[in-house]
Amino acid sequence: AEVAKKHDVALLDIGSASPKYSVADFEDCCHLNTAGGLKLYDSVLDRLLKDQRLAKSMARSSEHVANNARKRSLAARDSQRPQ
């Protein structure tokens, strides 16, 4: 939490998020199963709906990732063309 505050970034602490996770939400010691994944999804969605700054930041990040993937795809295609 201190690092997030220092760098002015959003933090979703699923350990203190609601609803609480139980052993039944995990596939193994560290991976959520379907029920746990749905709880996580709902927690993230709830946070995005409440924090418009975070939602806008994620949208910009997604656009950036998509643009970079497109550039890499075009570069790979161009590198495979005969000279």
Side-chain angles (χ1 to χ4, degrees), residues 47-79:
R47 178 68 183 271
L48 287 173
L49 292 172
K50 290 179 180 176
D51 188 339
Q52 290 301 305
R53 190 179 112 205
L54 176 59
K56 287 177 185 177
S57 175
M58 289 191 70
R60 284 192 306 270
S61 177
S62 294
E63 183 178 326
H64 176 73
V65 168
N67 287 337
N68 281 341
R70 183 174 181 276
K71 287 177 188 176
R72 286 192 305 273
S73 177
L74 292 173
R77 181 198 66 193
D78 292 344
S79 71

Side-chain angles (χ1 to χ4, degrees), residues 34-49:
T34 302
L38 289 171
K39 284 184 180 181
L40 176 63
Y41 176 83
D42 288 343
S43 295
V44 171
L45 180 60
D46 184 57
R47 178 68 183 271
L48 287 173
L49 292 172

